[in-house]
Amino acid sequence: MGLVPALEEPLKQPLKSVLGPATAKVMAEHLGLHTVGDLLHHYPRRYEERGQLTHLADLPMDEHVTVVAQVADARLHSFASARAPRGKGQRLEVTITDGSGRLQLVFFGNGVHKPHKELLPGTRAMFAGKVSVFNHRLQLAHPAYELLRGDGEETVENWAGALIPLYPATAKLESWKIGKAVQTVLPTAQDAVDPLPGALREGRGLLPLPEALLKIHRPHTKADIADARARLKWDEAFVLQVALARRRHADAQLPAVARTPAPDGLLTAFDARLPFTLTEGQRKVSQEIFDDLATEHPMHRLLQGEVGSGKTMVALRAMLAVVDAGGQAAMLAPTEVLAQQHHRSITEMMGELAEGGMLGGTEHATKVVLLTGSMGAAARRRALLDLATGEAGIVIGTHALIEDKVRFHDLGLVVVDEQHRFGVEQRDALRGKGKQPPHLLVMTATPIPRTVAMTVFGDLETSVLDQLPAGRSPIASHVVPAADKPHFLARAWERVREEVAGGHQAYVVCPRIGDEEDDPKKAVRKKSPEDEAEKRPPLAVLDVADHLAKGPLQGLRVEVLHGRMHPDDKDAVMRRFAAGETDVLVATTVIEVGVNVPNATAMVIMDADRFGVSQLHQLRGRVGRGSAAGLCLLVTEMPEASAARQRLNAVASTLDGFELSRIDLEQRREGDVLGQAQSGARSSLRVLAVIEDEEVIAQAREEATKVVEADPELAHLPGLRTALDALLDDEREQYLEKG
C-alpha cells in the first residue's frame, strides 16, 4: 500500500479485500454496499432479544423474516408424489416456539437430512425465510438457519443477554451473515472520521462517531441503541443541511440583474384587465417575489400551494414584471400537454397583451411563444428567432428549452413547474442561458410538509399559497368499494350521466394505457403482496373506454387521452374536451397537473388504490374548477381492512393537501418522496425519518447555516468535508438532483 494518509483510508477499503469476492459481490449487487464504510453504515433494522419470536401476526406476507426460537418438535413424514411414486418422498416438519407463539417450518426432499440431524427438540437457532400460509397456518419453507450453540466465545450466556441485530437482508444474504461481516469490519470503526464539529457534538451531548457505530451494531442495552441513533440522525441531517447551506451561500454570492417593473407597464395593464381580484395570499406572495426580483442576487424561491390556489397567476405576474423591466421569462413544464396547456391559458389571460408585434396587440404587449420537442421545423425556427431577438418576452416549453441551440436575448427569470420532475442540473443549464444568472421561481402543486421542504428544497426560500381563490367550488370525494358493493359502481356511472345531462363533463382516470407489450420479465418481477391478492393487472384506458362506450355510458361522447398518443392528437383531444365537444375523457395521469376545464365536474378514478395519496389529490384538483361543485369517486376492489383502503379514506375525508402529504409520507417513508424511487438508489436517509425528526432537521439547518457562514470552504473541518464529498459524489448526488 505504501505510505497512505491514515485519515480515512480504512473505511474506503473495498469489501472484496476484507470479506472475499463472493460475499462482496452479493453485498454490492443486492445492498449497494461497496466499501468498509458502506457496511458500517448499513444499520440494523431492529434488534431481537434472544428467543423473541417476531410477532408473526404483524408480518406482511412475503416478507423476509428472521426469528430466534427453540425447536419444540420435529417429525419426518413420507409421502408419494409424481417424483417419488413409491412413498419415498420425504417432508420434515419442525415446530418452533418462543413461549409466546409457534411457527411451522418445512423441509423437502434431499434438503431434510441436515436439519433432521441438527434441529432436535430443545435446540435454539436463528431461522430466516419468507413467510407463507399453508392450510391457514403460517410457515417458513426451507428456511436458512444458524444454530445458537456455545461454540467458542459465543456461549449461551452471551446470547442470552445480547440484543441480536437484524439487518435489512435479502434472500441471497441472511441477516446473520451480514452481522458476521459487520463483526469483521467493526474494529475499523475506530478510524471513522467524525463529520460533526467538536463544539457542536459536545454542545448537543452527542456520542463520538466511532462509539456510535460500535453501539448501533453491538449494543448492550436499549439505551445504547437510542444514543447511537440520536447521533447518527444528526450526522445525516447535518451533512445534508451543510450541502444545502453551501448551495444557498454560493447562490447568494452570484450577481443578478435587479428587475423592477416599469410603473405603468405590462403588469399594470394586465392587472387592470383581470376579471377578479387577487386573493390576499396571492398579493402577499407576489410581493415577496417582487422584493426578491428587485435585488442584485438571484432569487431562489419555492412557490407551493394547494391544487387550484392560483400559482400560475402568481408566476405569470412575476414573468410580466420581468418583461416590464426589459428581461425575458421562461417557464419550464414537465410534459408537452402541460406546456401547451400553460401556453393556452397564459395567452388567454393576457389577451391582446400577448400579441406583441401583431395587429391588435397593445403598446405594452409582448410575444408569448411555445417551444416543445415535437414542433415542426418552421415553427421551431420562428420561436428560436423570437427568443434570440428578444421579440418574445415569455417562452413556455418543455426541457427542449435547455438545449444548446436555444439562445435568449436577456433571460431574467426562470419558472420551473412541478419541481420534482426537474433536477438541479437542468435548473443550472437553463440558468446558464442568461448573461448573468436569472432569478428562479420553482412551483410545486403537491403541498410539501415543512420538514420535507427544508430537506429537499433547502436551497430555496419558500412561499405558500393556502387560500383557494373565490369561485372555486368544493369537491365531494367518496370511496366506491366495487368488490364489496358492485351496485355502488353502477351508481357511479349513473352519477356521471347525471352530470353530463346537467351540461357538464367528466374524467375517468385509469392506471394503465392498455396497449403495452406484456413483458413476461416485468410481470414476474413487480408482484407486490397486494397485486398477488388481486391477481389482475391494473385497469387500462383503452379497455375501460371501450367498456363504457358500449355499456354504462352508451350514447355519450367518450374519448381517450394518454401519454403515447402523438402530441398533435393529444392537443386535439384536449381542445375538444375544453370546448365541450366531448362528454367523458378516459385518461391516464397525463391530466394530473395543470389541466384546466372548468366545466368538468366529475372524476371517477379506477383502481384508485394504485395511486399515491398526493397523486389522487392532484387528480381530484382537476374538477370543481368552475362554479359547479366537484365530485370525485375513488373506485377500488381492495378489502375494507387493507392499508390501501385506509389511504383512500384519508383522501376522501380531507381536502387539505398539506395534511394529505403528511399522511402520504408517513405511509410511504421518505425514500420515495425524496426522489429515490425514481433513481432506484436506496434512500440516502438511513436513520432519519423526515416527519418524526422535524426537530433534528430544523436544528441541523440552523447549525449548518452558522458553520457555512463562518467557514464556507469548511477549511477547518476536514472530517465534515470528507463526509460531504461522500454524500455528494455517491449516488446520493441524485438525492439533491431530483429535488
Side-chain angles (χ1 to χ4, degrees):
M1 294 271 295
L3 290 170
V4 287
L7 190 58
E8 24 123 24
E9 288 309 320
L11 271 73
K12 286 206 162 161
Q13 268 179 293
L15 284 172
K16 58 171 178 274
S17 63
V18 188
L19 302 175
T23 311
K25 184 169 185 247
V26 177
M27 288 197 164
E29 281 175 11
H30 293 274
L31 297 168
L33 308 176
H34 303 279
T35 63
V36 169
D38 288 345
L39 181 54
L40 285 174
H41 288 295
H42 185 71
Y43 309 132
R45 177 159 44 182
R46 52 196 173 82
Y47 303 84
E48 285 290 13
E49 289 170 75
R50 188 183 103 164
Q52 200 184 43
L53 195 59
T54 309
H55 292 294
L56 290 153
D58 308 339
L59 278 176
M61 299 305 301
D62 267 0
E63 167 107 354
H64 216 83
V65 304
T66 305
V67 296
V68 178
Q70 186 165 5
V71 177
D73 64 65
R75 290 184 305 281
L76 192 58
H77 300 277
S78 301
F79 60 90
S81 70
R83 295 173 73 176
R86 297 213 185 92
K88 292 269 172 62
Q90 289 193 307
R91 181 174 79 242
L92 176 66
E93 288 180 6
V94 179
T95 307
I96 57 173
T97 176
D98 65 340
S100 69
R102 297 168 85 81
L103 177 64
Q104 182 99 10
L105 316 177
V106 288
F107 299 87
F108 293 101
N110 296 335
V112 304
H113 306 306
K114 186 166 173 268
H116 191 211
K117 281 210 297 283
E118 295 182 334
L119 297 178
L120 305 170
T123 310
R124 301 189 66 83
M126 290 208 278
F127 301 92
K130 265 196 179 170
V131 183
S132 55
V133 171
F134 183 71
N135 279 344
H136 302 299
R137 303 235 312 272
L138 292 175
Q139 72 167 26
L140 291 180
H142 279 285
Y145 61 88
E146 174 92 334
L147 300 179
L148 305 183
R149 43 174 169 229
D151 48 304
E153 65 271 39
E154 290 190 330
T155 59
V156 176
E157 283 66 55
N158 261 0
W159 272 107
L163 289 157
I164 302 169
L166 293 183
Y167 290 88
T170 70
K172 294 264 187 295
L173 205 60
E174 290 90 5
S175 169
W176 59 80
K177 289 191 183 150
I178 298 173
K180 283 188 171 162
V182 169
Q183 193 70 32
T184 310
V185 301
L186 207 48
T188 31
Q190 297 310 325
D191 305 313
V193 182
D194 202 322
L196 293 191
L200 184 151
R201 199 177 65 231
E202 282 142 34
R204 300 250 170 211
L206 298 166
L207 299 179
L209 182 59
E211 193 182 329
L213 289 171
L214 226 53
K215 284 188 168 172
I216 198 138
H217 290 295
R218 289 288 169 270
H220 292 299
T221 62
K222 298 221 167 123
D224 283 353
I225 300 170
D227 292 348
R229 287 179 68 89
R231 159 64 215 240
L232 296 165
K233 276 180 181 180
W234 254 94
D235 277 16
E236 284 181 12
F238 181 71
V239 174
L240 182 60
Q241 291 301 339
V242 166
L244 293 164
R246 287 186 71 188
R247 266 198 88 88
R248 278 200 303 279
H249 186 268
D251 286 340
Q253 310 309 310
L254 296 170
V257 180
R259 309 277 177 177
T260 318
D264 279 317
L266 190 54
L267 181 62
T268 316
F270 175 75
D271 284 349
R273 42 168 304 161
L274 280 182
F276 50 82
T277 50
L278 298 173
T279 64
E280 188 50 45
Q282 285 175 317
R283 274 203 296 276
K284 181 177 119 291
V285 170
S286 287
Q287 198 47 56
E288 293 173 350
I289 293 172
F290 293 152
D291 292 348
D292 281 359
L293 290 174
T295 61
E296 299 196 338
H297 296 294
M299 161 172 85
H300 287 108
R301 194 166 276 283
L302 171 69
L303 170 59
Q304 56 163 329
E306 268 300 1
V307 178
S309 56
K311 291 180 295 293
T312 313
M313 174 59 70
V314 170
L316 175 55
R317 292 184 75 235
M319 298 200 298
L320 296 172
V322 169
V323 175
D324 259 352
Q328 290 169 294
M331 184 185 234
L332 212 55
T335 63
E336 294 211 348
V337 166
L338 205 51
Q340 288 161 341
Q341 177 83 31
H342 277 315
H343 181 251
R344 195 157 43 230
S345 61
I346 283 174
T347 44
E348 278 166 14
M349 284 198 264
M350 287 175 62
E352 68 268 23
L353 297 176
E355 296 170 5
M358 295 188 244
L359 280 173
T362 67
E363 53 168 332
H364 299 301
T366 185
K367 217 177 204 178
V368 180
V369 300
L370 176 69
L371 189 65
T372 62
S374 65
M375 280 167 78
R380 192 182 166 81
R381 262 201 310 278
R382 214 166 36 246
L384 289 173
L385 187 65
D386 285 343
L387 287 182
T389 58
E391 184 93 359
I394 295 180
V395 58
I396 293 150
T398 52
H399 40 255
L401 280 178
I402 303 172
E403 290 172 10
D404 291 345
K405 289 197 279 295
V406 182
R407 294 267 176 278
F408 287 88
H409 176 63
D410 178 13
L411 182 60
L413 170 67
V414 174
V415 179
V416 178
D417 186 18
E418 276 306 284
Q419 164 66 14
H420 58 268
R421 324 256 172 114
F422 278 105
V424 169
E425 284 170 351
Q426 287 107 317
R427 295 196 310 210
D428 285 349
L430 196 52
R431 244 186 240 166
K433 304 267 183 201
K435 298 192 173 88
Q436 283 190 322
H439 298 281
L440 174 73
L441 180 65
V442 172
M443 299 199 294
T444 166
T446 312
I448 306 170
R450 171 175 159 259
T451 35
V452 181
M454 282 193 311
T455 315
V456 183
F457 301 110
D459 56 335
L460 306 173
E461 298 299 318
T462 309
S463 296
V464 177
L465 277 176
D466 45 14
Q467 281 170 300
L468 290 188
R472 288 296 307 243
S473 301
I475 303 170
S477 306
H478 304 285
V479 177
V480 177
D484 318 350
K485 302 184 174 149
H487 59 284
F488 275 38
L489 183 57
R491 176 74 191 111
W493 300 128
E494 279 170 29
R495 283 291 292 113
V496 170
R497 294 190 87 98
E498 287 162 17
E499 290 297 312
V500 173
H504 296 298
Q505 292 159 279
Y507 296 100
V508 177
V509 181
C510 307
R512 268 187 338 134
I513 297 174
D515 60 358
E516 296 89 341
E517 293 293 311
D518 280 335
D519 179 349
K521 281 201 201 95
K522 265 194 192 143
V524 174
R525 215 179 58 241
K526 287 281 188 228
K527 280 282 165 58
S528 76
E530 289 185 350
D531 286 352
E532 277 297 339
E534 293 166 337
K535 289 283 190 285
R536 72 165 176 73
L539 290 169
V541 166
L542 302 174
D543 309 341
V544 169
D546 191 47
H547 162 75
L548 292 176
K550 291 179 179 156
L553 303 183
Q554 200 172 3
L556 301 187
R557 297 167 298 177
V558 178
E559 287 212 52
V560 298
L561 177 70
H562 59 74
R564 277 210 224 103
M565 290 163 62
H566 187 279
D568 293 350
D569 297 341
K570 275 193 263 196
D571 202 39
V573 168
M574 269 322 299
R575 276 177 193 277
R576 284 197 293 274
F577 189 65
E581 294 161 22
T582 308
D583 300 319
V584 179
L585 187 61
V586 183
T588 54
T589 52
V590 288
I591 62 156
E592 177 184 349
V593 204
V595 171
N596 186 16
V597 180
N599 191 44
T601 52
M603 176 176 286
V604 182
I605 302 179
M606 307 303 291
D607 279 343
D609 46 273
R610 309 285 178 121
F611 300 98
V613 170
S614 299
Q615 206 175 17
L616 290 168
H617 184 57
Q618 279 292 83
L619 286 166
R620 169 171 65 183
R622 303 300 112 218
V623 296
R625 297 179 84 85
S627 50
L631 172 69
C632 178
L633 302 175
L634 306 166
V635 179
T636 177
E637 292 185 2
M638 295 307 286
E640 185 114 33
S642 60
R645 270 288 276 285
Q646 287 159 1
R647 258 200 336 261
L648 296 180
N649 291 339
V651 174
S653 66
T654 175
L655 289 172
D656 178 345
F658 287 91
E659 180 51 34
L660 285 174
S661 64
R662 255 191 116 88
I663 293 171
D664 198 16
L665 204 54
E666 282 162 2
Q667 291 208 333
R668 293 195 304 175
R669 292 289 303 190
E670 300 64 38
D672 302 2
V673 181
L674 304 184
Q676 292 299 328
Q678 294 89 323
S679 70
R682 49 184 206 291
S683 166
S684 55
L685 299 189
R686 298 196 179 92
V687 281
L688 196 67
V690 172
I691 292 278
E692 291 154 42
D693 298 320
E694 191 153 355
E695 271 315 276
V696 177
I697 292 170
Q699 291 166 2
R701 180 174 183 164
E702 228 167 275
E703 295 275 9
T705 309
K706 278 194 286 210
V707 165
V708 171
E709 271 167 13
D711 179 5
E713 291 307 310
L714 308 179
H716 305 296
L717 297 166
L720 178 55
R721 259 215 327 273
T722 304
L724 203 60
D725 294 342
L727 174 80
L728 295 179
D729 69 349
D730 207 23
E731 291 188 285
R732 296 186 271 295
E733 180 91 274
Q734 300 176 342
Y735 169 88
L736 294 172
E737 298 301 342
K738 286 275 158 66

